[in-house]
Amino acid sequence: MTTNRMFCYQCEQTANGKGCTKAGVCGKDANVAALQDLLIYALRGLSEVAVEGRRLGIVDDGVNAFTIRALFTTGTNVNFDAGRFPELINRCVELRERLKEKVKAAGGKAEYGDGPATYQPAKGIDGLIEQGTKVGLLSDTSLNPDVRSLQHITLFGIKGVAAYADHARTLGHEDDNVYAFIHEGLAAMQDKGLGLNDWIGLAMKCGEINIRVMELLDAGNTTTYGHSVPTKVPLGAKKGKAILVSGHDLKDLEELLKQTEGKGIYVYTHGEMLPAHGYPGLKKYKHFYGHYGTAWQNQTKEFPAFPGPILMTTNCIQRPRESYRNSIFTTGPVGWPGVTHIEGYDFGPVIQKALEMPGFDRDVEGKSVMVGFARNAVLGVAPTIIEAVKAGKVRRFFLVAGCDGAKPGRNYYSEFVEKVPKDCIVLTLACGKFRFFDKELGDIGGIPRLLDVGQCNDAYSAVKIAMALADAFKVGVNDLPLSMVLSWYEQKAVAILLSLLYLGVRDIRLGPSMPAFISPAVLDYLAKKFNIMPITTPDQDLKAILG
C-alpha cells in the first residue's frame, strides 16, 4: 500500500486545530483516511439513486441498513482496519447498481453523468487508496468556504445520526424518514446550486432528524431493557475471571452476559458502557459486577492492568499496546488491523480468552458511583425538584456533558463542576463525566447534586427532562434556570449540538475548542443567532451565568 497525503478535521483534537494532513491524531493513517473518504464518496452516489428511488416509491431496506453502518465505520475512533474498506466500497457500488435497475424499470432517472453515482472502484487496495486521495473533504476547490463549512457540519452531523440509527436498528427501532434524510443530505453534496441558506436548512434538518433517531434509540433501550433506575456501581473488582466491555452497544453486552452466565466470569463495563448498570434487563445478571477505568482516551494506560479480555463494541478504540493486543476484540463497526473481529454475536473466543487469563486474584475495594438518572427516574421526582426550585433550595441546573479527550484544557470541566455552588444541581451524560463522575457532591433535600443521565446515546433523556421542566414552569427552555456547558469530540456530538440548535436552545458554552470545520462567517452566524460561545475559565463562566 502507498501512503498519501490526507486531510481530516472531523474531531476536536485535529492537528493544530486545523486538520490532520499526515496521520490522524486519532491514530488512523493516510491510507485509512483515503479509503474512508472514498467510501463517503461512494455513499453519496448511492444516495443520489436512493433519493430518485424514493421519489418513485422504491425503498430498499438493504440500502438503508448498509448506509448507516458504512457511515458509522468512517467516524472517529471506529474502524482503523484498511483491509475492511474495499469490501464496503465495492458493496456500496453493487447496491447502487442494483437500485439503479429498479429505478430505471420504474421509469426513473437512468443517466447520472460523471460523479459518485457512476463511480467505479479500482481493482486492488492501492488503486482504491489512489482514488480516495482525489475525493477528500477539500477536493472541490470551487466551493465557497462557508458553503463547504456548512456542508461538512451537515456531513459530520449525518455521521452522528447514522451511528445512533445503527444502534436503534439493532434493537428493532427505525423510521424511514431517518434514512430518507441521510440520503437527501449526502445527495445534496452534488448539487452546485445550493447556497448558504439551503445548507443552513439542511444542517437544522439534521438536528431535527437526530431528535427523532435519539427517540428511536431511547425506545429501543427502554422497551428492551426497561427504564433505567438509580443504581450504585462499584469501581472495585471481584475475585475471579473477568471480561471488560467498552463502547455503547447494549445488545452486544446483553448477548455476552447471556453467554457468560454460569461460567464463573464477571463482566465489567468501561467508558460509555457505565450507564448499562441502571437497566433492569441487564442488572438482573448476577455476574454483571462493576465498572473499570475511565474515559476512552485513558485505555492505553488502564487496559494493560485488566486481567481479562476486552471487547470494543462501537467507537472509542485506540491503538492497542502490545501488552494487551492479543486479548482485545472488536465487534460491529469497530476494527483495528491484527485484532480479532467478532462477526455477529458469537463471543466464544472472548469467553475462551477470559478462561485462559488469570482474572482478579482477590476482591478489590473501591469507590462506587451512582447511575440511572435518565428521564424516567428524574421526571418521577419532578414535583420534588420543582418544589425545591420554587422554595429557593435549588438555584440552577447545569448540564455539563459531552465527549472527553486528551487535551489538558479539558480539566476545565472537572474544575467547573467542583466550583458549582452547593445550591445547584449538575446533570451529566456521555464520557465527559469521567472528569468528575466519582466526586462526592452531596445532595439537596435528598436529590443528588450529580445526576448521571447516561451515555451520549441518552441525550434524548436530557432533552425530555429540559422540555418537561419548561412545561412545568410554563416557560421556554431558554428561560429555565438551566445552563449548558458542553464538551465535544466527534460526530455524535455534532449531531446533538445541531439538535439543540434546531430546538432553539441559546447560550450554549462549547469547548475545549471550537470545531475547525466551522468557518469564521458560520461561527459568527451561530453566535448571533444562538449566542453559542466558547468556554473561558470556570470562574469567569460561572460568574457570567450566576451573576
Side-chain angles (χ1 to χ4, degrees):
M1 286 189 287
T2 55
T3 301
N4 297 282
R5 185 176 173 84
M6 63 180 280
F7 181 82
C8 182
Y9 63 174
Q10 68 179 3
C11 84
E12 190 272 333
Q13 288 182 189
T14 195
N16 303 312
K18 294 180 179 178
C20 296
T21 56
K22 294 180 180 176
V25 172
C26 64
K28 74 178 172 184
D29 63 27
N31 293 325
V32 170
L35 291 167
Q36 289 183 354
D37 285 341
L38 187 59
L39 179 55
I40 292 295
Y41 184 74
L43 285 166
R44 286 164 52 186
L46 175 60
S47 296
E48 279 191 83
V49 183
V51 168
E52 176 69 2
R54 272 193 179 81
R55 188 181 69 81
L56 299 166
I58 299 168
V59 177
D60 188 312
D61 184 62
V63 167
N64 291 341
F66 176 84
T67 300
I68 57 174
R69 175 53 63 94
L71 280 166
F72 200 168
T73 66
T74 69
T76 301
N77 291 88
V78 183
N79 194 340
F80 296 82
D81 189 350
R84 298 249 303 269
F85 285 97
E87 181 183 348
L88 289 168
I89 292 163
N90 283 295
R91 178 63 177 154
C92 185
V93 172
E94 286 171 14
L95 288 169
R96 184 195 75 202
E97 293 305 300
R98 189 180 75 185
L99 187 56
K100 264 188 196 175
E101 289 304 314
K102 291 182 185 177
V103 170
K104 187 177 178 181
K109 187 175 177 181
E111 300 298 326
Y112 290 85
D114 289 339
T118 55
Y119 155 72
Q120 289 301 317
K123 299 204 182 298
I125 194 166
D126 282 341
L128 293 172
I129 290 168
E130 184 62 33
Q131 287 180 327
T133 63
K134 296 171 182 170
V135 295
L137 292 169
L138 303 183
S139 58
D140 186 351
T141 56
S142 68
L143 267 184
N144 173 291
D146 300 321
V147 168
R148 176 186 287 115
S149 176
L150 287 162
Q151 265 196 15
H152 291 171
I153 291 168
T154 307
L155 171 63
F156 301 150
I158 285 172
K159 289 190 182 190
V161 169
Y164 291 136
D166 190 71
H167 288 305
R169 184 183 173 97
T170 297
L171 297 172
H173 289 254
E174 54 190 327
D175 179 345
D176 190 59
N177 289 322
V178 174
Y179 303 123
F181 168 73
I182 290 173
H183 289 136
E184 176 194 357
L186 291 177
M189 296 183 73
Q190 279 71 259
D191 190 341
K192 301 287 189 184
L194 298 182
L196 289 172
N197 287 334
D198 300 303
W199 280 105
I200 289 170
L202 281 164
M204 290 300 104
K205 189 171 179 181
C206 184
E208 178 186 12
I209 290 295
N210 190 56
I211 293 170
R212 174 58 180 149
V213 84
M214 288 193 300
E215 180 184 32
L216 291 168
L217 179 53
D218 179 86
N221 287 338
T222 55
T223 58
T224 308
Y225 305 112
H227 283 279
S228 282
V229 295
T231 301
K232 184 183 285 189
V233 183
L235 300 180
K238 293 285 281 183
K239 180 181 178 180
K241 304 292 186 180
I243 295 175
L244 187 61
V245 185
S246 190
H248 305 77
D249 201 287
L250 300 184
K251 173 78 169 168
D252 289 323
L253 175 60
E254 179 193 27
E255 291 301 322
L256 181 67
L257 287 168
K258 286 178 183 176
Q259 293 171 41
T260 48
E261 207 164 13
K263 288 185 166 61
I265 299 171
Y266 288 102
V267 175
Y268 298 79
T269 54
H270 170 266
E272 286 266 53
M273 274 295 187
L274 169 62
H277 290 277
Y279 288 98
L282 297 173
K283 63 187 292 183
K284 68 182 181 183
Y285 292 95
K286 292 183 171 52
H287 61 301
F288 186 30
Y289 178 65
H291 186 80
Y292 176 91
T294 52
W296 66 271
Q297 78 277 3
N298 298 322
Q299 64 190 256
T300 56
K301 299 174 188 171
E302 296 169 348
F303 285 1
F306 189 77
I310 300 143
L311 178 65
M312 305 299 294
T313 66
T314 53
N315 50 321
C316 298
I317 194 171
Q318 286 186 294
R319 181 188 302 277
R321 289 190 173 181
E322 287 304 317
S323 58
Y324 61 88
R325 184 179 284 269
N326 291 329
S327 60
I328 190 168
F329 297 80
T330 61
T331 191
V334 194
W336 192 279
V339 167
T340 302
H341 186 74
I342 305 292
E343 293 288 353
Y345 297 104
D346 180 5
F347 296 117
V350 184
I351 294 167
Q352 184 59 39
K353 179 62 77 172
L355 296 173
E356 293 168 2
M357 292 182 71
F360 289 97
D361 60 5
R362 59 187 173 86
D363 288 351
V364 179
E365 293 299 318
K367 281 184 169 184
S368 62
V369 294
M370 291 294 295
V371 301
F373 295 100
R375 62 183 173 87
N376 211 50
V378 174
L379 295 180
V381 293
T384 306
I385 293 173
I386 292 163
E387 189 53 45
V389 173
K390 288 180 176 176
K393 294 176 183 176
V394 174
R395 183 172 22 158
R396 196 161 195 86
F397 298 90
F398 289 90
L399 178 63
V400 185
C403 321
D404 205 359
K407 278 189 180 177
R410 288 180 178 269
N411 291 335
Y412 165 96
Y413 295 94
S414 49
E415 189 182 336
F416 185 95
V417 168
E418 287 169 359
K419 291 182 173 181
V420 166
K422 296 194 185 306
D423 60 354
C424 299
I425 288 174
V426 175
L427 294 99
T428 190
L429 56 81
C431 64
K433 65 172 164 268
F434 288 110
R435 296 272 167 175
F436 49 81
F437 79 129
D438 57 352
K439 304 260 182 221
E440 300 286 348
L441 298 188
D443 66 274
I444 301 174
I447 304 167
R449 287 192 56 235
L450 181 60
L451 299 174
D452 185 352
V453 178
Q455 298 180 340
C456 69
N457 294 18
D458 298 311
Y460 179 74
S461 269
V463 169
K464 292 298 284 185
I465 290 167
M467 292 174 75
L469 289 174
D471 189 53
F473 285 110
K474 295 181 171 49
V475 297
V477 172
N478 292 312
D479 298 315
L480 280 172
L482 169 68
S483 296
M484 297 190 183
V485 183
L486 307 181
S487 56
W488 82 280
Y489 181 74
E490 44 82 77
Q491 296 78 59
K492 288 180 180 177
V494 177
I496 292 169
L497 181 61
L498 290 175
S499 291
L500 294 173
L501 298 182
Y502 167 75
L503 292 170
V505 176
R506 294 177 55 81
D507 305 328
I508 295 169
R509 284 172 166 79
L510 183 64
S513 64
M514 299 304 272
F517 48 82
I518 298 184
S519 69
V522 173
L523 183 58
D524 185 58
Y525 166 82
L526 294 174
K528 286 176 179 170
K529 185 168 178 64
F530 301 102
N531 198 33
I532 191 168
M533 64 193 91
I535 58 171
T536 58
T537 68
D539 289 324
Q540 237 178 294
D541 288 344
L542 279 167
K543 185 178 179 182
I545 293 166
L546 295 170

